[in-house]
Amino acid sequence: MKIKCKNMTHAMKANRILYDNGIHSKVEKINDDPDIHGCVYSIVFDDRHLNRALEIMCSGGVILHKKEKINYGDVCK
């Protein structure tokens, strides 16, 4: 699962808090999405952790990319 973050700082923050909560993840730079302009980073983790990871990231203050808020805005307010 790839979730786009607002910027590199938020992707690194997400990586750290997921690690602290036992979820293996990594940060990747996105270059191949034609709908997104500029520098965008995503956090990558196993699909089975989606709901828990979103809750952890959002409660930890990670801001998702505006494109992701369309899909996960109900979890991350």
Side-chain angles (χ1 to χ4, degrees):
M1 175 64 51
K2 284 187 181 185
I3 303 289
K4 297 173 196 77
C5 295
K6 179 179 178 182
N7 55 35
M8 183 176 68
T9 302
H10 284 277
M12 297 299 289
K13 182 177 184 177
N15 193 42
R16 187 181 75 256
I17 62 173
L18 289 176
Y19 174 81
D20 290 345
N21 284 275
I23 298 176
H24 175 74
S25 61
K26 64 181 180 177
V27 174
E28 286 186 357
K29 184 175 180 182
I30 298 175
N31 294 322
D32 59 351
D33 191 334
D35 295 331
I36 297 178
H37 304 287
C39 211
V40 176
Y41 289 82
S42 64
I43 187 77
V44 182
F45 53 88
D46 193 304
D47 291 355
R48 65 185 170 171
H49 298 299
L50 175 62
N51 292 331
R52 184 165 172 251
L54 283 171
E55 290 173 7
I56 291 167
M57 289 189 300
C58 295
S59 66
V62 174
I63 299 174
L64 302 181
H65 188 274
K66 61 185 173 185
K67 298 274 185 182
E68 295 292 16
K69 289 182 181 180
I70 295 168
N71 298 324
Y72 306 113
D74 56 334
V75 177
C76 295
K77 298 184 190 261

